mmCIF file of all heavy atoms in Angstrom:
data_model
loop_
_atom_site.group_PDB
_atom_site.id
_atom_site.type_symbol
_atom_site.label_atom_id
_atom_site.label_comp_id
_atom_site.label_asym_id
_atom_site.label_seq_id
_atom_site.Cartn_x
_atom_site.Cartn_y
_atom_site.Cartn_z
ATOM 1 N N GLU A 1 -210.671 -3.974 -143.045
ATOM 2 C CA GLU A 1 -209.332 -4.583 -142.814
ATOM 3 C C GLU A 1 -209.531 -5.922 -142.069
ATOM 4 O O GLU A 1 -210.318 -6.074 -141.149
ATOM 5 C CB GLU A 1 -208.499 -3.692 -141.928
ATOM 6 C CG GLU A 1 -208.151 -2.352 -142.553
ATOM 7 C CD GLU A 1 -207.326 -1.460 -141.614
ATOM 8 O OE1 GLU A 1 -207.060 -1.900 -140.435
ATOM 9 O OE2 GLU A 1 -206.926 -0.403 -142.020
ATOM 10 N N TRP A 2 -208.827 -6.931 -142.623
ATOM 11 C CA TRP A 2 -208.691 -8.223 -141.989
ATOM 12 C C TRP A 2 -207.199 -8.418 -141.611
ATOM 13 O O TRP A 2 -206.335 -8.141 -142.469
ATOM 14 C CB TRP A 2 -209.128 -9.304 -142.951
ATOM 15 C CG TRP A 2 -210.657 -9.548 -142.893
ATOM 16 C CD1 TRP A 2 -211.511 -8.961 -143.690
ATOM 17 C CD2 TRP A 2 -211.362 -10.376 -142.006
ATOM 18 N NE1 TRP A 2 -212.786 -9.367 -143.448
ATOM 19 C CE2 TRP A 2 -212.750 -10.313 -142.403
ATOM 20 C CE3 TRP A 2 -211.011 -11.242 -140.951
ATOM 21 C CZ2 TRP A 2 -213.756 -11.003 -141.742
ATOM 22 C CZ3 TRP A 2 -212.043 -12.041 -140.330
ATOM 23 C CH2 TRP A 2 -213.339 -11.854 -140.696
ATOM 24 N N ALA A 3 -206.916 -8.820 -140.369
ATOM 25 C CA ALA A 3 -205.564 -8.935 -139.945
ATOM 26 C C ALA A 3 -205.309 -10.058 -138.930
ATOM 27 O O ALA A 3 -206.304 -10.540 -138.329
ATOM 28 C CB ALA A 3 -205.103 -7.573 -139.310
ATOM 29 N N ARG A 4 -204.108 -10.439 -138.824
ATOM 30 C CA ARG A 4 -203.635 -11.370 -137.759
ATOM 31 C C ARG A 4 -202.726 -10.646 -136.847
ATOM 32 O O ARG A 4 -201.532 -10.326 -137.264
ATOM 33 C CB ARG A 4 -202.946 -12.652 -138.386
ATOM 34 C CG ARG A 4 -203.888 -13.582 -138.979
ATOM 35 C CD ARG A 4 -203.936 -14.944 -138.418
ATOM 36 N NE ARG A 4 -202.814 -15.497 -137.718
ATOM 37 C CZ ARG A 4 -202.074 -16.579 -138.069
ATOM 38 N NH1 ARG A 4 -202.375 -17.213 -139.214
ATOM 39 N NH2 ARG A 4 -201.088 -17.004 -137.341
ATOM 40 N N PRO A 5 -203.118 -10.323 -135.643
ATOM 41 C CA PRO A 5 -202.303 -9.543 -134.691
ATOM 42 C C PRO A 5 -200.879 -10.237 -134.426
ATOM 43 O O PRO A 5 -199.915 -9.511 -134.036
ATOM 44 C CB PRO A 5 -203.099 -9.404 -133.421
ATOM 45 C CG PRO A 5 -204.500 -9.588 -133.882
ATOM 46 C CD PRO A 5 -204.375 -10.608 -135.068
ATOM 47 N N ASP A 6 -200.781 -11.530 -134.520
ATOM 48 C CA ASP A 6 -199.533 -12.266 -134.223
ATOM 49 C C ASP A 6 -198.554 -12.310 -135.359
ATOM 50 O O ASP A 6 -197.468 -12.836 -135.169
ATOM 51 C CB ASP A 6 -199.854 -13.690 -133.776
ATOM 52 C CG ASP A 6 -200.636 -14.486 -134.864
ATOM 53 O OD1 ASP A 6 -201.433 -13.871 -135.632
ATOM 54 O OD2 ASP A 6 -200.291 -15.730 -135.026
ATOM 55 N N LEU A 7 -198.922 -11.741 -136.531
ATOM 56 C CA LEU A 7 -197.999 -11.757 -137.637
ATOM 57 C C LEU A 7 -197.484 -10.367 -137.986
ATOM 58 O O LEU A 7 -198.065 -9.353 -137.544
ATOM 59 C CB LEU A 7 -198.704 -12.338 -138.947
ATOM 60 C CG LEU A 7 -199.258 -13.734 -138.809
ATOM 61 C CD1 LEU A 7 -199.926 -14.134 -140.113
ATOM 62 C CD2 LEU A 7 -198.115 -14.702 -138.505
ATOM 63 N N SER A 8 -196.421 -10.287 -138.724
ATOM 64 C CA SER A 8 -195.848 -9.019 -139.157
ATOM 65 C C SER A 8 -195.267 -9.250 -140.554
ATOM 66 O O SER A 8 -194.335 -10.018 -140.754
ATOM 67 C CB SER A 8 -194.766 -8.577 -138.203
ATOM 68 O OG SER A 8 -194.216 -7.345 -138.616
ATOM 69 N N PRO A 9 -195.870 -8.521 -141.558
ATOM 70 C CA PRO A 9 -197.009 -7.637 -141.443
ATOM 71 C C PRO A 9 -198.234 -8.384 -141.113
ATOM 72 O O PRO A 9 -198.372 -9.592 -141.501
ATOM 73 C CB PRO A 9 -197.062 -7.000 -142.828
ATOM 74 C CG PRO A 9 -196.407 -7.924 -143.747
ATOM 75 C CD PRO A 9 -195.351 -8.618 -142.938
ATOM 76 N N GLY A 10 -199.129 -7.758 -140.495
ATOM 77 C CA GLY A 10 -200.341 -8.430 -139.980
ATOM 78 C C GLY A 10 -201.563 -8.378 -140.918
ATOM 79 O O GLY A 10 -202.541 -9.097 -140.637
ATOM 80 N N PHE A 11 -201.526 -7.529 -141.946
ATOM 81 C CA PHE A 11 -202.692 -7.440 -142.825
ATOM 82 C C PHE A 11 -202.878 -8.762 -143.662
ATOM 83 O O PHE A 11 -201.917 -9.207 -144.303
ATOM 84 C CB PHE A 11 -202.629 -6.212 -143.755
ATOM 85 C CG PHE A 11 -202.773 -4.965 -143.006
ATOM 86 C CD1 PHE A 11 -201.823 -4.014 -143.022
ATOM 87 C CD2 PHE A 11 -203.930 -4.671 -142.395
ATOM 88 C CE1 PHE A 11 -201.931 -2.802 -142.389
ATOM 89 C CE2 PHE A 11 -204.176 -3.477 -141.714
ATOM 90 C CZ PHE A 11 -203.121 -2.494 -141.655
ATOM 91 N N ILE A 12 -204.096 -9.279 -143.637
ATOM 92 C CA ILE A 12 -204.490 -10.442 -144.428
ATOM 93 C C ILE A 12 -205.187 -10.003 -145.675
ATOM 94 O O ILE A 12 -204.938 -10.566 -146.777
ATOM 95 C CB ILE A 12 -205.325 -11.368 -143.612
ATOM 96 C CG1 ILE A 12 -204.617 -11.787 -142.325
ATOM 97 C CG2 ILE A 12 -205.655 -12.621 -144.440
ATOM 98 C CD1 ILE A 12 -203.260 -12.394 -142.460
ATOM 99 N N HIS A 13 -206.135 -9.035 -145.500
ATOM 100 C CA HIS A 13 -206.900 -8.552 -146.672
ATOM 101 C C HIS A 13 -207.404 -7.140 -146.343
ATOM 102 O O HIS A 13 -207.983 -6.982 -145.222
ATOM 103 C CB HIS A 13 -208.087 -9.486 -146.990
ATOM 104 C CG HIS A 13 -208.719 -9.215 -148.341
ATOM 105 N ND1 HIS A 13 -208.394 -9.946 -149.455
ATOM 106 C CD2 HIS A 13 -209.668 -8.409 -148.633
ATOM 107 C CE1 HIS A 13 -209.105 -9.530 -150.428
ATOM 108 N NE2 HIS A 13 -209.903 -8.604 -150.031
ATOM 109 N N VAL A 14 -207.197 -6.227 -147.270
ATOM 110 C CA VAL A 14 -207.653 -4.840 -147.012
ATOM 111 C C VAL A 14 -208.404 -4.424 -148.312
ATOM 112 O O VAL A 14 -207.984 -4.536 -149.403
ATOM 113 C CB VAL A 14 -206.426 -3.951 -146.793
ATOM 114 C CG1 VAL A 14 -206.969 -2.474 -146.632
ATOM 115 C CG2 VAL A 14 -205.712 -4.330 -145.543
ATOM 116 N N MET A 15 -209.671 -3.870 -147.952
ATOM 117 C CA MET A 15 -210.465 -3.300 -149.051
ATOM 118 C C MET A 15 -210.654 -1.806 -148.847
ATOM 119 O O MET A 15 -210.864 -1.359 -147.689
ATOM 120 C CB MET A 15 -211.869 -3.981 -149.031
ATOM 121 C CG MET A 15 -211.868 -5.442 -149.512
ATOM 122 S SD MET A 15 -211.743 -5.630 -151.320
ATOM 123 C CE MET A 15 -213.416 -5.042 -151.773
ATOM 124 N N ALA A 16 -210.558 -1.056 -149.946
ATOM 125 C CA ALA A 16 -210.782 0.416 -149.920
ATOM 126 C C ALA A 16 -211.498 0.816 -151.173
ATOM 127 O O ALA A 16 -210.953 0.531 -152.243
ATOM 128 C CB ALA A 16 -209.480 1.126 -149.727
ATOM 129 N N ALA A 17 -212.616 1.495 -151.054
ATOM 130 C CA ALA A 17 -213.422 1.940 -152.212
ATOM 131 C C ALA A 17 -213.755 0.729 -153.095
ATOM 132 O O ALA A 17 -213.749 0.864 -154.359
ATOM 133 C CB ALA A 17 -212.657 3.031 -152.998
ATOM 134 N N GLY A 18 -213.982 -0.403 -152.493
ATOM 135 C CA GLY A 18 -214.435 -1.576 -153.282
ATOM 136 C C GLY A 18 -213.275 -2.324 -153.933
ATOM 137 O O GLY A 18 -213.619 -3.237 -154.716
ATOM 138 N N ARG A 19 -212.055 -1.999 -153.713
ATOM 139 C CA ARG A 19 -210.889 -2.628 -154.283
ATOM 140 C C ARG A 19 -209.919 -3.156 -153.221
ATOM 141 O O ARG A 19 -209.756 -2.542 -152.177
ATOM 142 C CB ARG A 19 -210.155 -1.765 -155.264
ATOM 143 C CG ARG A 19 -211.036 -1.383 -156.530
ATOM 144 C CD ARG A 19 -210.212 -0.536 -157.452
ATOM 145 N NE ARG A 19 -210.947 -0.168 -158.723
ATOM 146 C CZ ARG A 19 -210.446 0.501 -159.689
ATOM 147 N NH1 ARG A 19 -209.182 0.874 -159.630
ATOM 148 N NH2 ARG A 19 -211.179 0.721 -160.731
ATOM 149 N N GLU A 20 -209.310 -4.267 -153.544
ATOM 150 C CA GLU A 20 -208.331 -4.769 -152.632
ATOM 151 C C GLU A 20 -207.010 -4.027 -152.671
ATOM 152 O O GLU A 20 -206.529 -3.616 -153.741
ATOM 153 C CB GLU A 20 -207.995 -6.265 -152.913
ATOM 154 C CG GLU A 20 -207.039 -6.922 -151.913
ATOM 155 C CD GLU A 20 -206.627 -8.288 -152.208
ATOM 156 O OE1 GLU A 20 -207.112 -8.822 -153.258
ATOM 157 O OE2 GLU A 20 -205.824 -8.882 -151.489
ATOM 158 N N ARG A 21 -206.464 -3.771 -151.515
ATOM 159 C CA ARG A 21 -205.133 -3.107 -151.388
ATOM 160 C C ARG A 21 -204.110 -4.167 -150.886
ATOM 161 O O ARG A 21 -204.354 -4.832 -149.935
ATOM 162 C CB ARG A 21 -205.193 -2.005 -150.366
ATOM 163 C CG ARG A 21 -206.210 -0.894 -150.685
ATOM 164 C CD ARG A 21 -205.696 -0.008 -151.784
ATOM 165 N NE ARG A 21 -204.471 0.669 -151.484
ATOM 166 C CZ ARG A 21 -204.422 1.835 -150.909
ATOM 167 N NH1 ARG A 21 -205.514 2.422 -150.510
ATOM 168 N NH2 ARG A 21 -203.298 2.393 -150.610
ATOM 169 N N VAL A 22 -203.052 -4.323 -151.677
ATOM 170 C CA VAL A 22 -202.106 -5.403 -151.386
ATOM 171 C C VAL A 22 -200.899 -4.874 -150.637
ATOM 172 O O VAL A 22 -199.922 -5.657 -150.415
ATOM 173 C CB VAL A 22 -201.687 -6.140 -152.705
ATOM 174 C CG1 VAL A 22 -202.900 -6.863 -153.283
ATOM 175 C CG2 VAL A 22 -201.107 -5.176 -153.695
ATOM 176 N N ASP A 23 -200.826 -3.594 -150.353
ATOM 177 C CA ASP A 23 -199.672 -3.025 -149.647
ATOM 178 C C ASP A 23 -199.532 -3.697 -148.205
ATOM 179 O O ASP A 23 -200.583 -3.732 -147.471
ATOM 180 C CB ASP A 23 -199.863 -1.486 -149.453
ATOM 181 C CG ASP A 23 -199.973 -0.806 -150.821
ATOM 182 O OD1 ASP A 23 -199.629 -1.401 -151.772
ATOM 183 O OD2 ASP A 23 -200.436 0.339 -150.809
ATOM 184 N N ASP A 24 -198.390 -4.126 -147.909
ATOM 185 C CA ASP A 24 -198.018 -4.657 -146.674
ATOM 186 C C ASP A 24 -198.922 -5.943 -146.285
ATOM 187 O O ASP A 24 -199.112 -6.207 -145.135
ATOM 188 C CB ASP A 24 -198.257 -3.648 -145.539
ATOM 189 C CG ASP A 24 -197.307 -2.471 -145.659
ATOM 190 O OD1 ASP A 24 -196.164 -2.658 -146.117
ATOM 191 O OD2 ASP A 24 -197.742 -1.315 -145.362
ATOM 192 N N LYS A 25 -199.323 -6.609 -147.321
ATOM 193 C CA LYS A 25 -200.114 -7.822 -147.061
ATOM 194 C C LYS A 25 -199.220 -8.948 -146.704
ATOM 195 O O LYS A 25 -198.091 -9.131 -147.281
ATOM 196 C CB LYS A 25 -200.965 -8.222 -148.280
ATOM 197 C CG LYS A 25 -201.832 -9.391 -148.092
ATOM 198 C CD LYS A 25 -202.758 -9.601 -149.329
ATOM 199 C CE LYS A 25 -203.647 -10.850 -149.074
ATOM 200 N NZ LYS A 25 -204.652 -11.071 -150.112
ATOM 201 N N GLN A 26 -199.606 -9.759 -145.750
ATOM 202 C CA GLN A 26 -198.859 -10.986 -145.370
ATOM 203 C C GLN A 26 -198.639 -11.901 -146.601
ATOM 204 O O GLN A 26 -199.622 -12.315 -147.170
ATOM 205 C CB GLN A 26 -199.572 -11.697 -144.236
ATOM 206 C CG GLN A 26 -198.926 -13.008 -143.819
ATOM 207 C CD GLN A 26 -197.559 -12.865 -143.372
ATOM 208 O OE1 GLN A 26 -196.671 -13.555 -143.765
ATOM 209 N NE2 GLN A 26 -197.350 -11.952 -142.437
ATOM 210 N N PRO A 27 -197.387 -12.190 -146.977
ATOM 211 C CA PRO A 27 -197.083 -12.934 -148.177
ATOM 212 C C PRO A 27 -197.744 -14.337 -148.227
ATOM 213 O O PRO A 27 -198.156 -14.817 -149.322
ATOM 214 C CB PRO A 27 -195.615 -13.081 -148.223
ATOM 215 C CG PRO A 27 -195.090 -11.899 -147.409
ATOM 216 C CD PRO A 27 -196.147 -11.668 -146.314
ATOM 217 N N SER A 28 -197.857 -14.960 -147.077
ATOM 218 C CA SER A 28 -198.447 -16.338 -147.064
ATOM 219 C C SER A 28 -199.906 -16.361 -147.414
ATOM 220 O O SER A 28 -200.461 -17.460 -147.692
ATOM 221 C CB SER A 28 -198.238 -16.952 -145.670
ATOM 222 O OG SER A 28 -198.907 -16.240 -144.670
#
């Protein structure tokens, strides 16, 4: 997980089982 604690949603990039998960990813 990569995140920015000051943003909501705070996830920047999430990988699981070698694939990116785009759920709740920061739109910008």
Side-chain angles (χ1 to χ4, degrees):
E1 297 179 359
W2 279 89
R4 284 243 334 243
D6 60 321
L7 299 180
S8 180
F11 288 120
I12 304 305
H13 193 94
V14 177
M15 291 282 290
R19 294 185 177 181
E20 182 185 0
R21 301 287 298 273
V22 295
D23 300 342
D24 297 326
K25 181 174 182 177
Q26 174 59 230
S28 62

